[in-house]
Amino acid sequence: MTAETNHTTHPSLEVQQGMTPETVSLYGPWNLCGFTHGLRDIQIKLRVLANSAELQWDLRAIDSLDRIGALLLWQAWDNRRPHHLRLRAEHESLFRNLQQIELLPIASHWRISKINRLLARRVLALISHGYSGLTMLGQLVLDTGYIIRHPDRFPWREVSATIRSAGAQALAITALVGLLIGVVISYLLALQLEIYGAQGYIVDVLGMTVIRELGPMLAAILVAGRSGSAMTAELGVMRVTHELDALAALGVSHTVRLVLPKVIALIIVLPLLVVWTDAIALLGGMIAAQLTLGLDYQQLILGLPAAVPVINFWIGLAKGVVFGALIALTACHFGLRIQSNTQSLAAETTNAVVTSITLLILVDAVFAILFEDIGFS
């Protein structure tokens, strides 16, 4: 069987059937340049011939052989040297190197390298976020000092607009969620306390849970998901439409006009939303307690101050202040990192919400550790 391709311009092979054992002879340039045409046909022929273990392979007539050609043959031979192989001395080192390669350690090394690259990218991204966040925070401190010296430059309208959007327009959703959470918690507590005949302690548990923990966390998470994402998207749209570049060209500081109003507004708004959420959640809890345990509203209201020390109320307000600043800073940080494309806008908005909620939980845990001995009767 004679090869169909020209021996001098393309790699080819032919089987000498009259010889014992049958010999496969290779001709032409078995290198990268030679495989520009007909590579698929060569691979098919090699795969068919390599199924026979009795064939003798003769590579002495090859014009030139490089690592690409040697690897192609090695893969056709199923990564092992044929029993009958004749080749020139200068080509021996190519197959000796391939024979020494162990595939499993290479794959393992590749996986380890991939993991290392992934970890390196994560670490670099974390460093980049930390640097950008510290830069924005430092600029915010400098601009705050400038506003204190020049109160006429204070962005009152931006603060007022943010208070309206993040505070007044969030009253309905925080009230609904607070009411439902209060009902659920009170109902579950009533079922458990009734078993032990401790129905009177529902005021203590409900009041402490809502005022110290759930009220601030619920309000903060709702604001982070609702207003924080809106702030990030707003800054992202300004980046896409080049409004941020226009402000920079006019010499207007981004932190003065965009970041500072949002931080101040949420510092004002979130403690108020915490009080609002606490009140509605306690109302829902009292309704559920009255329906399940038959407790009187007056008994619940009068017993609340004695059951929950007032310091817990101030701890909840302090959480509101810290949570508000944290949500605004995180939203603005990711908003200012958005690139001029819609994909970056969607990704960074999602990252802002997820990071805000994660940081809220971490900071709440810090509050719990710092005030573990404060506020309990």
Side-chain angles (χ1 to χ4, degrees), residues 290-311:
Q290 198 278 330
L291 294 176
T292 54
L293 299 177
L295 297 179
D296 185 68
Y297 292 123
Q298 184 177 3
Q299 177 184 353
L300 294 171
I301 295 174
L302 294 178
L304 188 62
V308 183
V310 70
I311 187 63

Side-chain angles (χ1 to χ4, degrees), residues 238-361:
M238 295 181 70
R239 174 73 69 186
V240 173
T241 57
H242 303 289
E243 293 180 54
L244 294 179
D245 298 332
L247 288 176
L250 293 173
V252 178
S253 173
H254 294 166
T255 53
V256 171
R257 303 298 300 184
L258 301 174
V259 179
L260 184 60
K262 293 176 174 55
V263 173
I264 293 176
L266 285 191
I267 288 176
I268 297 172
V269 161
L270 201 51
L272 300 177
L273 286 177
V274 168
V275 176
W276 169 255
T277 306
D278 289 347
I280 299 299
L282 290 174
L283 176 61
M286 287 189 290
I287 293 174
Q290 198 278 330
L291 294 176
T292 54
L293 299 177
L295 297 179
D296 185 68
Y297 292 123
Q298 184 177 3
Q299 177 184 353
L300 294 171
I301 295 174
L302 294 178
L304 188 62
V308 183
V310 70
I311 187 63
N312 293 284
F313 175 76
W314 295 113
I315 292 175
L317 289 185
K319 287 183 178 181
V321 173
V322 176
F323 289 168
L326 188 63
I327 293 170
L329 290 173
T330 305
C332 293
H333 165 70
F334 282 95
L336 294 176
R337 289 176 61 90
I338 293 177
Q339 305 298 320
S340 299
N341 58 78
T342 55
Q343 183 179 3
S344 176
L345 174 62
E348 296 299 344
T349 302
T350 302
N351 292 336
V353 176
V354 173
T355 304
S356 295
I357 295 176
T358 304
L359 291 177
L360 290 175
I361 296 173

Side-chain angles (χ1 to χ4, degrees), residues 203-213 307-309 312 375-377:
V203 181
D204 303 65
V205 181
L206 179 64
M208 185 69 70
T209 303
V210 170
I211 294 176
R212 187 179 177 109
E213 290 295 333
V308 183
N312 293 284
F376 297 96
S377 301

Side-chain angles (χ1 to χ4, degrees), residues 18 58 68 94 101 128 131 148 154 218 229 247 261 280 289 298 315 336 339 346 362 373 377:
D58 189 355
I68 301 299
L94 292 173
I101 294 176
S128 175
Y131 177 78
I148 293 175
F154 189 82
L218 279 177
S229 60
L247 288 176
I280 299 299
Q298 184 177 3
I315 292 175
L336 294 176
Q339 305 298 320
L362 290 176
D373 297 325
S377 301

